Every structure is written in structure tokens, then in C-alpha cells.
Amino acid sequence: MNKFEQLGLNESLLRAINDLGFENPSEVQEKAIPLLLEKDTDIVALAQTGTGKTAAFGFPLIQKIDAENKNTQALILSPTRELCLQITNEIKLYSKYVKGLHTVAVYGGASITEQAKEIRRGAQIIVATPGRMQDMINRGLVNITQIDYCVLDEADEMLNMGFYDDIVSILSTSPTDKSTWLFSATMPQEVARIAREFMRKPLEITVGHKNSGSSTVSHEFYLVNARDRYEALKRLADANPDIFSVVFCRTKRDTQAVAEKLIENGYNAAALHGDLSQAQRDAVMKSFRNRQIQMLVATDVAARGIDVDNVTHVINYQLPDDIETYNHRSGRTGRAGKLGTSIVIITKSELRKINAIERTIKQKFEEKSIPSGIEICEIQLFHLANRIKDVEIDHEIDSYLPAIYEVMKDLTKEELIKKMVSVEFNRFINYYKKNKDLSAQKGGEERRDFSAGSGAVRFFINIGSRDDFDWMSLKDFLRDTLGLGRDDIFKVDVKEGFSFFNTEAEHAETVMDTFNSMHLEGRKINVEISKNDGGSNSRRRDHNGRSSGGNSNRGARGERRSDSFGGGRPPRRDGRDGGAPRRKDSNSGSRDRKPRRSN
Ligand code: ADP
Ligand code: MG
């Protein structure tokens, strides 16, 4: 008997679950499903984003509904159109083997008469945004006087968005003896108030810590001068060639400006905010899901609840006012058990906010500095080399090859490689030669200078995230393999196919000797001393929250012109990415290479 069967789910759901490939219920599902199946009760369920709340209410709801009765029996309220559609989709997937069950989405920005027509044809489940729902009730287009179940999904978000009055009014037209299921990531005052005033003795289940963020997300901050904010964002993108991120700004204006600037500078970016038409927002989301957009610049409201898998980075271009919003932002990454990074670009005056967030999410931030030009050049170079190595060949090219061979015929293999790589590399090196490093100083604090004569050596190693390492596990692996102490490995920076790290010079020989004779799953490990000193990446903060490492002569005031949107990216040549999905080649065939952490 599988785990889902043990929860009491019936055959048609089990079949759908099997199709979806879910193997085990998540914690919130394990707790909520048997309770909801067993009796008619109100419930308050608190669980972080990405923990599978939709199925936690969706499965029991589908099982309890009478598909032979065409009346509307359940109403699911959700904060945004995007979420509303997402939930509708999921419910349809879950119920695909339940004959006669119809789920209809009701949301603003689309034809209300169309939606009303769909409902008239029979909709046992309606998934709605509060505003449009209220509208439909007012116009008599929907009847919820017979419903047995009302689900308030992402209740905290709905209340954040000012839907309190709509919710209260909608609930008041529904029967008092229905069951109300409230799902939320957090429990602010307003949610507690809804539970108190509109629910009868709700059972409460909580998964993980209340208010705590997802532990698959690591948190980093980069201290910069305010005028360098945009430049810092660009460098973070350049230092992460495979970035797939949501960039949060506080206002629609900033969102639009940052996105426009990124596009102008040659990045695959787009803006998502409330001033766009519904059709524009749909188009943006579609491109983002297809990965034609690598950097989605969004306001909090517009990006609320977006569930796109494999977002690698959430970037807080500006910090939000409250910590809950920070939690919602960082929950866009690290979903479904994957690792993700939440980055904060911050100025000195905002530093104390980091401490406040750390206390709430019970996780430490790592302080990092914006990668230097040389570091970015190196990353881009190795990225390019890996891309060339892994690219799938389209045989359309075959007929051109004789002519191409003719052009290249006098080059040796070595020369050819050098030239191919230089085509891309030259633009980065030329651009970054002219641009200074960015990190701001925390006034008065000591920073260790690694660059000149202090004896740190930076290494390149050909293992990375595709070998299932993140910076922490790589650091452990290196330390254990080398037999070094806790702080002997620092500035560990993990990229997809390779990584960088520092040790003091005294350990350099050990590093070279140990790794250059080592294999990882049959592949030879290759370690080289890197040209850049990694000086722009500061060390992890010590337990007093102070930073060590980094370069002391950087980022002095007045180095750069004050135009915060200054400077472009190295020009992108025609068709380099062509808007096509990017990640195909970089992931292929690498997942099975589990690292063997001993020699
Ligand atoms: P939440 O509402 O808690 O933020 P979702 O319901 O949107 O989370 O689920 C997040 C993702 O996890 C979705 O892509 C969903 O399909 C997937 N998921 C849900 N339950 C499971 C499960 N038991 N096993 C594997 N994946 C799951
Ligand atoms: Mg959800």
C-alpha cells in the first residue's frame, strides 16, 4: 500500500497522483489529508510556500465532492489571477479520473460572461480571486449558497492585498454550516482574526516553524554604495551565466526602469507589475516559464505566489519593508526540495535589517562582495568552454562544414580552441578592464586583505553544482579531503561545472597534490591556481556577524560616476542566445554523476 493510499485517498486520486509522479506525501499533506477526509471540520494549516498545500486541500476536496451533483459545492479563494489559474490547473490534474467533476477559474481581466457561462454548465469547484468573485455575486452570476467547503488559500497574501472586506462579504453569502479550510504560510494578526471570527473551533496544524523560511534556500547579502545598485545587479548576472531569477523592486517605476535597463544592456529580462495589461502579464509569465526570460523583474504584488520551478536566485534589488514579504520573495526559489539562493543588494544604512531578518527566519546570511571583473571573466570563460563541450550538434550545419573547414584549415587544434574562446572572452575582458570593483565598506571594520602579499591562493576546480555540490558541501568536501581546519578553505564559489576556492599559500602544494591525482566518479579532478585572487568575495561572517576577508582598497567613495544606471554589459553578439531556452545543454547527462566524497 503506498503512502497516499494510507492517507485514505481513493482509486481515482491515486491514479492521478501516480501520473503526477508524486512518490510521498509532503508533511502538510500527511497531516491535513486524513483529518479532512475523516470529518467535516474547520482547519487552519500553516506551512511554508512550496510545501504542497494545494494538494493538501485539493485531494480531500475532490474526494468529498459529489461529482454527480452539478451544484457548486466548493469555493477556493486565492489572491491573484496567476495563483487562481495555477490552482485550477492542479485541481484539474488531480481530478482527471473523476468523471463529471468540473473546476472553473474566476478572475479579473477576462470576460465575466464567459466565466458565468462556464459556471452555468456546472462547476462543482470554483477557484476565484476575491474581487471578481464579489463582482459575480453582486451580479447574481454565481450561487454559493449551497457550498459545503470554502478554502482560503494563501490567506496571508489575500489579506496583505487588502481583500479582507471582500472575503468577509463573500463568506457572509455562504452557508454557516460549511467547512472552512484556511491555508497560509504565515499567521499575521489579520489571519488570526479571520480564523477567530469566521471559523468554528478550527483544528490547527503547523508544519515547520511558524514564519520560518524554507531551509533549501541560502541567504546572501552584498553591501554596495547606493549608486552602484544597478551595476551590482548586472555583475551578479554576469557571474552566474545560468541564472534564472526573480528580481524584486519596491515600486512599479523601479521595476520598469530596472527591466528596461537590463534589456538595453543585452540581458534576457522583462518587467512584471500591475500597470501591465493582463495580456502583457500572461505573455511575460509564459516567456519566463519557457526560460526565454532569465531575469524577471517584479513587484511583490505581481510576483505573489508565482510557482515556477528551478528559479536559481531571488534577488532583492531593494529590501521590502517587512520581513514577511522577504519570506514570500525568497520562497520563489528553493521549491520542491531544490536548492536556491536569496540575494540582497544592500547599502550600509540598511544593514541592521539583515540582523532582523536573520532573527526571524532563524538562518544566517552570508556576506559576499560583488565579483570583480577578472573573476567574472574567468567564470564566463569556463562557462563558455563547458557550453562548447556540451552543446548538442544540429546536423543542419553539416552542409556548411566543408566551407568552414576550408576557412580554418591552417589552424592547429590548440590555436582553434584559443580563438574560439577568445571570440566571447574578449568582450568581457575589454569591458571589465575599464570597470572598478564595487563593494562598499562597512565603516570602521577591519577587513583582511588577501590581494597583496597576504598569502592567499585562489584555486579553480572542475567540479560544481552539477556534481550536487553547493558552497557548503564543497567546502566540507575540500576540508575533509585535505584534512584542513574549519577556516582554512574560504571564498568558496560554486558554479555549474566548476568552482573556485581559496586557501592560505602554505596549503597550496597539498591542494595541487591531493586533487590532481584524484577521480570523482571516474572523472579526473583538475585543480588549477586561478589568476584572480577572489578578493572581491568576502569570507563568511564569523559568529559576531563581522566580516573578514575582502579587499580593503575597494569601493571608496567617488570612484564611479554617480549615475546608478551607468555602463552596459559587454555587447552581445547577434543571436548568441536568440531567446531560446538555455539550460538544455548544460544539464544533460550530468545528474547521475553523484560525487563520491572519498578518494
Ligand atoms: P504551496 O502552495 O505550499 O506553496 P504547491 O501546492 O504550489 O505549494 O506545491 C509546490 C510544488 O510541489 C508543485 O509543483 C507541486 O506539484 C509539487 N508537489 C506537491 N506535492 C508533492 C508531492 N507529494 N510530491 C512531489 N511534488 C509535490
Ligand atoms: Mg499555494
Side-chain angles (χ1 to χ4, degrees):
M1 193 150 116
N2 91 14
K3 281 264 183 62
F4 285 103
E5 202 173 348
Q6 282 170 17
L7 299 181
L9 295 173
N10 64 22
E11 189 52 37
S12 50
L13 278 161
L14 293 174
R15 272 176 70 200
I17 292 167
N18 191 43
D19 289 355
L20 284 163
F22 293 1
E23 285 173 2
N24 289 303
S26 67
E27 196 181 340
V28 69
Q29 292 163 4
E30 212 158 30
K31 288 187 173 165
I33 292 169
L35 276 179
L36 295 175
L37 284 178
E38 200 171 294
K39 50 182 173 176
D40 286 325
T41 174
D42 286 0
I43 191 170
V44 172
L46 299 180
Q48 302 152 16
T49 41
T51 52
K53 294 192 288 293
T54 315
F57 63 75
F59 292 167
L61 197 60
I62 291 164
Q63 187 155 330
K64 292 185 112 169
I65 275 174
D66 178 2
E68 283 166 15
N69 173 347
K70 286 208 158 196
N71 289 342
T72 298
Q73 297 161 52
L75 171 67
I76 301 170
L77 289 177
S78 108
T80 63
R81 169 198 163 100
E82 276 76 22
L83 275 177
C84 177
L85 286 168
Q86 204 169 286
I87 294 165
T88 308
N89 265 337
E90 294 263 319
I91 299 276
K92 284 183 176 168
L93 287 173
Y94 304 159
S95 63
K96 70 177 184 187
Y97 296 114
V98 183
K99 242 185 108 214
L101 182 62
H102 296 290
T103 305
V104 171
V106 164
Y107 49 84
S111 158
I112 197 166
T113 42
E114 262 317 301
Q115 291 171 355
K117 217 191 283 173
E118 270 198 82
I119 291 172
R120 273 199 306 275
R121 282 200 290 262
Q124 290 92 342
I125 301 178
I126 293 177
V127 187
T129 53
R132 173 54 67 95
M133 191 63 199
Q134 184 58 55
D135 207 5
M136 293 196 95
I137 292 173
N138 290 345
R139 298 199 205 181
L141 297 175
V142 62
N143 176 5
I144 55 164
T145 57
Q146 309 286 320
I147 61 172
D148 300 310
Y149 307 99
C150 179
V151 180
L152 304 173
D153 189 30
E154 315 277 357
D156 51 354
E157 308 266 23
M158 280 199 285
L159 294 164
N160 268 342
M161 291 174 70
F163 280 134
Y164 182 86
D165 290 340
D166 283 322
I167 293 172
V168 169
S169 155
I170 292 167
L171 289 176
S172 72
T173 61
S174 68
T176 45
D177 63 351
K178 68 179 177 308
S179 299
T180 305
W181 302 349
L182 184 152
F183 284 75
S184 185
T186 61
M187 186 76 166
Q189 283 304 315
E190 298 79 18
V191 176
R193 182 164 150 212
I194 291 270
R196 227 177 22 244
E197 293 179 10
F198 298 95
M199 296 171 75
R200 287 160 307 161
K201 298 202 187 94
L203 298 174
E204 191 177 318
I205 62 175
T206 304
V207 170
H209 294 289
K210 285 183 190 176
N211 289 327
S212 86
S214 163
S215 61
T216 53
V217 179
S218 51
H219 303 262
E220 300 176 345
F221 73 86
Y222 293 80
L223 191 61
V224 300
N225 294 314
R227 63 171 176 276
D228 290 334
R229 231 185 251 279
Y230 176 72
E231 181 64 23
L233 174 65
K234 273 189 340 136
R235 290 202 182 188
L236 289 169
D238 286 346
N240 293 283
D242 279 322
I243 197 166
F244 182 53
S245 66
V246 186
V247 179
F248 284 97
C249 297
R250 285 161 66 116
T251 65
K252 292 178 200 169
R253 239 178 94 210
D254 288 344
T255 303
Q256 187 65 29
V258 169
E260 277 174 15
K261 209 64 205 175
L262 284 171
I263 294 164
E264 200 173 294
N265 293 159
Y267 296 84
N268 299 324
L272 185 73
H273 55 68
D275 283 353
L276 302 179
S277 73
Q278 205 55 254
Q280 285 170 318
R281 286 170 59 174
D282 286 347
V284 167
M285 279 312 296
K286 186 161 173 245
S287 313
F288 187 55
R289 279 181 217 284
N290 293 339
R291 291 162 183 270
Q292 282 151 355
I293 291 167
Q294 278 188 282
M295 301 176 83
L296 178 69
V297 190
T299 57
D300 287 297
V301 173
R304 196 146 278 164
I306 284 179
D307 180 29
V308 173
D309 282 346
N310 300 321
V311 168
T312 59
H313 295 77
V314 162
I315 301 180
N316 292 265
Y317 186 76
Q318 295 143 338
L319 267 182
D321 283 326
D322 59 309
I323 294 169
E324 255 161 48
T325 305
Y326 178 81
N327 249 332
H328 288 302
R329 287 181 177 187
S330 55
R332 296 311 114 221
T333 186
R335 297 178 74 78
K338 303 223 176 57
L339 296 177
T341 306
S342 173
I343 286 178
V344 179
I345 301 174
I346 204 182
T347 61
K348 226 187 318 186
S349 63
E350 302 169 302
L351 256 184
R352 59 187 169 73
K353 292 190 185 169
I354 293 288
N355 292 327
I357 296 173
E358 283 181 334
R359 276 196 302 277
T360 309
I361 65 175
K362 301 199 172 59
Q363 252 178 291
K364 283 280 173 205
F365 273 80
E366 185 190 358
E367 179 181 359
K368 292 186 121 182
S369 303
I370 301 296
S372 66
I374 185 73
E375 213 170 338
I376 288 172
C377 290
E378 255 188 43
I379 289 167
Q380 289 287 344
L381 181 59
F382 288 114
H383 178 70
L384 172 65
N386 274 303
R387 262 180 63 207
I388 293 176
K389 184 166 79 56
D390 294 340
V391 72
E392 276 169 37
I393 292 166
D394 182 334
H395 288 284
E396 289 286 303
I397 202 174
D398 289 354
S399 60
Y400 300 98
L401 285 176
I404 293 170
Y405 291 145
E406 185 58 28
V407 175
M408 310 273 191
K409 72 174 187 305
D410 293 331
L411 298 174
T412 65
K413 179 183 169 194
E414 283 67 31
E415 281 168 337
L416 186 63
I417 292 176
K418 229 186 277 180
K419 281 176 186 276
M420 274 190 80
V421 171
S422 298
V423 170
E424 290 277 312
F425 190 57
N426 288 352
R427 343 177 261 132
F428 277 96
I429 200 91
N430 286 335
Y431 175 77
Y432 277 113
K433 250 185 227 158
K434 300 190 294 257
N435 288 276
K436 298 216 169 72
D437 289 341
L438 294 182
S439 287
Q441 296 292 292
K442 276 201 251 172
E445 267 186 35
E446 246 183 60
R447 281 169 167 255
R448 204 154 117 210
D449 186 348
F450 286 106
S451 55
S454 68
V457 178
R458 187 139 179 92
F459 296 92
F460 159 89
I461 187 164
N462 65 337
I463 55 180
S465 59
R466 67 162 60 171
D467 304 297
D468 281 348
F469 283 106
D470 60 13
W471 71 268
M472 275 182 286
S473 58
L474 183 64
K475 187 173 176 169
D476 290 344
F477 170 66
L478 295 170
R479 210 181 47 208
D480 294 349
T481 313
L482 294 164
L484 295 178
R486 248 199 81 206
D487 292 325
D488 291 336
I489 310 277
F490 44 95
K491 296 186 197 169
V492 179
D493 198 2
V494 175
K495 305 297 170 194
E496 186 166 350
F498 53 90
S499 308
F500 296 97
F501 63 94
N502 282 22
T503 73
E504 296 298 335
E506 58 190 285
H507 303 304
E509 210 171 313
T510 322
V511 173
M512 297 299 280
D513 288 352
T514 311
F515 287 110
N516 281 327
S517 57
M518 208 175 139
H519 290 255
L520 189 73
E521 295 289 302
R523 187 162 50 106
K524 200 175 170 312
I525 291 190
N526 174 28
V527 177
E528 279 159 38
I529 292 180
S530 156
K531 282 268 172 42
N532 89 67
D533 62 358
S536 66
N537 249 342
S538 61
R539 296 181 70 167
R540 195 169 163 68
R541 285 181 308 157
D542 63 29
H543 290 303
N544 304 321
R546 273 215 248 117
S547 161
S548 55
N551 212 326
S552 61
N553 56 4
R554 247 181 298 106
R557 255 165 221 286
E559 273 178 2
R560 298 178 38 77
R561 49 196 190 103
S562 58
D563 172 13
S564 59
F565 280 166
R569 158 185 244 207
R572 178 162 276 185
R573 282 172 313 105
D574 275 346
R576 183 187 167 210
D577 288 298
R582 302 200 53 190
R583 323 196 97 225
K584 240 206 231 137
D585 54 298
S586 49
N587 278 335
S588 57
S590 54
R591 276 289 129 210
D592 51 341
R593 223 180 295 143
K594 280 269 177 307
R596 190 185 57 208
R597 269 140 214 226
S598 63
N599 202 345

